[in-house]
Amino acid sequence: MTTATAPRQICRQLKIRRADDFHLHLRDGEIMRAVLPASTESCARALIMPNLIPPITNLAAASAYRSQIVAAVPSGCDFTPLMTLYLTEDTHPRDIQDAVQSDIVQAVKLYPAGATTNSSSGVRDISAIRAVLDVMEATDMPLCVHGEAVGEQIDIFDREFVFIEKTLNVIRSTNPELRIVFEHITTEQAAEFVRANQPHVAATITVHHLVLNRSHLFAGGLRPHRYCLPVAKREIHRQALLQAAMGGETCFFLGTDSAPHTNRAKLSACGCAGIYSAPIALPCLAQLFEQHDSLDQLQGFTSEFGARFYNLPLNSGTQTLSKWDTPLSARKPLQIDHDQIEVFDPGFPLYWSID
C-alpha cells in the first residue's frame, strides 16, 4: 500500500506594493526574450543597464532598445522598462539634455573602463566627463556608478574601497548636488559612505550579495555560478549589507544586478561575471527578511525607497508572497538554443513564492 503525500500548504502570506528592480541586465535578442518574463512577474518597473554591444550611449539607441523590450513583454503583463545611457569619454552634454527632455531615460551609467562585462567603452579619466557631470547636476539627472577602481596593482577585494577614495570623493567634491546611485555595494565602507552622503547619494543592494560571502566562491571547489563583479567580500561585509537592507534606511534599495550568461560563457577558461537571480529574487528576499525578523521592512526596500530617490510615483498595484510548509523545487535552467542559463542557487531551500 502506498501512502498519499499530503498536499503542500501555505502557512504565511505577505502582501506588498509591487516591486521595482533598480539594476537589471536583460541583454538583447534571444537571451532578452528568455529572461524578461521572470522580471515582469516580480517587478512593475526595472532600470535597464546599457552595456550591450554596441553600448546604449544616446537617446535614439535607448528608445530603440526600449521598443525591443516592450515588444517582448508577455501579453497581459504590466511592466515598464526604465532606460539608462552608457557614459563614455565621448558623451556630449547635449546627449544628457536630450535624455532629460525625454520621458524614458532615468539615469546615466558610469562604468570604469575594464571593470566588468562590456565595459571597454567606459571611462578611464574622470576629468574627461567633467562637463557632462556638470550638466547632469544642473538638470538633476542621476548618475549610476559601477563602483570599482581598475588597475593591476589594485587587489580585487579592495576595488570598491579604492573607487570611493579615488573617484567618488572627487565627484562629490566637484558636484555636490549630483544625485548618485552607488550600485551593488559590497562592503561596510560603501554603506557608511552612502549614509554619510545622503540625501544626494543612495545605493542598490543585490540579492546575491546578501546571501554570499567570498568563501562561498570556493565551497567544495570553484563555483563559477557564484562569480560576479564586484565579487562577494568577507562575512563582516555581508552582515553590514543585511543591516543596511533591513534597517529601514531610505538610502538603500533593491537592485538585483541579475545578469544572465549562458553556461558556455560561464564555464570556460575565462568565465563571465554575473549571476542570474531574477526568478528567485523576491522569494529569496522574503526568506532572508523573515529570518531576521524584518518582514515589515521588505516593502520599503523593494517598492518604495528607490522610487522616491528617482522621483518616480510609487507603484499602485500589489503582489502577494506566500510561504509554504515544504521547500519549493529548485528553478530549472533556461534553455537558450543549445545552451542553458543557470538560475542562482542561494545554497538553501526556498519556502517563499510569488502568487
Side-chain angles (χ1 to χ4, degrees), residues 171-320:
I171 295 175
R172 288 289 297 134
S173 64
T174 57
N175 298 94
E177 301 298 313
L178 177 65
R179 278 191 293 152
I180 298 172
V181 181
F182 195 168
E183 295 194 312
H184 44 50
I185 62 170
T186 62
T187 61
E188 183 178 20
Q189 290 92 339
E192 288 304 319
F193 176 87
V194 172
R195 290 186 179 103
N197 287 276
Q198 58 178 313
H200 291 97
V201 177
T204 57
I205 300 176
T206 76
V207 177
H208 52 272
H209 286 123
L210 293 174
V211 171
L212 301 174
N213 62 41
R214 66 185 190 179
S215 294
H216 290 112
L217 293 169
F218 311 102
L222 184 62
R223 302 287 183 171
H225 291 296
R226 294 175 179 174
Y227 169 54
C228 59
L229 286 173
V231 295
K233 305 300 194 297
R234 293 178 182 271
E235 177 64 12
I236 59 170
H237 297 298
R238 188 181 76 91
Q239 292 296 327
L241 296 184
L242 287 168
Q243 180 181 0
M246 299 177 185
E249 297 177 83
T250 60
C251 53
F252 301 111
F253 46 85
L254 175 63
T256 66
D257 192 19
S258 181
H261 290 288
T262 63
N263 280 345
R264 188 177 295 118
K266 289 288 288 181
L267 307 178
S268 69
C270 187
C272 291
I275 291 174
Y276 176 52
S277 63
I280 57 90
L282 284 185
C284 192
L285 285 174
Q287 190 152 319
L288 287 171
F289 275 62
E290 181 190 35
Q291 288 171 354
H292 291 81
D293 297 321
S294 299
L295 270 178
D296 60 328
Q297 301 295 343
L298 182 62
Q299 177 171 273
F301 180 71
T302 62
S303 315
E304 296 177 354
F305 301 157
R308 287 171 178 154
F309 188 83
Y310 277 98
N311 294 330
L312 295 170
L314 299 182
N315 295 316
S316 57
T318 61
Q319 56 197 143
T320 300

Side-chain angles (χ1 to χ4, degrees), residues 64-276:
Y65 186 26
R66 185 183 187 279
S67 295
Q68 293 176 32
I69 296 169
V70 170
V73 172
S75 177
C77 287
D78 178 18
F79 177 79
T80 302
L82 308 172
M83 309 310 293
T84 58
L85 298 186
Y86 188 119
L87 182 58
T88 77
E89 294 182 6
D90 295 324
T91 299
H92 194 279
R94 184 173 54 252
D95 295 320
I96 306 303
Q97 292 165 343
D98 290 343
V100 170
Q101 293 170 6
S102 78
D103 59 356
I104 68 168
V105 174
Q106 297 295 327
V108 176
K109 180 64 179 280
L110 167 60
Y111 289 102
T116 189
T117 302
N118 298 343
S119 62
S120 59
S121 299
V123 174
R124 289 177 169 80
D125 180 4
I126 200 71
S127 66
I129 60 169
R130 183 64 55 218
V132 170
L133 295 182
D134 289 344
V135 171
M136 291 178 63
E137 182 180 36
T139 57
D140 200 29
M141 172 66 80
L143 175 70
C144 297
V145 298
H146 180 109
E148 291 192 284
V150 179
E152 293 183 0
Q153 76 283 6
I154 302 173
D155 188 292
I156 192 168
F157 294 103
D158 295 335
R159 284 167 55 163
E160 189 170 87
F161 176 73
V162 174
F163 185 84
I164 294 171
E165 293 294 303
K166 302 288 188 180
T167 302
L168 271 185
N169 282 333
V170 173
I171 295 175
R172 288 289 297 134
S173 64
T174 57
N175 298 94
E177 301 298 313
L178 177 65
R179 278 191 293 152
I180 298 172
V181 181
F182 195 168
E183 295 194 312
H184 44 50
I185 62 170
T186 62
T187 61
E188 183 178 20
Q189 290 92 339
E192 288 304 319
F193 176 87
V194 172
R195 290 186 179 103
N197 287 276
Q198 58 178 313
H200 291 97
V201 177
T204 57
I205 300 176
T206 76
V207 177
H208 52 272
H209 286 123
L210 293 174
V211 171
L212 301 174
N213 62 41
R214 66 185 190 179
S215 294
H216 290 112
L217 293 169
F218 311 102
L222 184 62
R223 302 287 183 171
H225 291 296
R226 294 175 179 174
Y227 169 54
C228 59
L229 286 173
V231 295
K233 305 300 194 297
R234 293 178 182 271
E235 177 64 12
I236 59 170
H237 297 298
R238 188 181 76 91
Q239 292 296 327
L241 296 184
L242 287 168
Q243 180 181 0
M246 299 177 185
E249 297 177 83
T250 60
C251 53
F252 301 111
F253 46 85
L254 175 63
T256 66
D257 192 19
S258 181
H261 290 288
T262 63
N263 280 345
R264 188 177 295 118
K266 289 288 288 181
L267 307 178
S268 69
C270 187
C272 291
I275 291 174
Y276 176 52

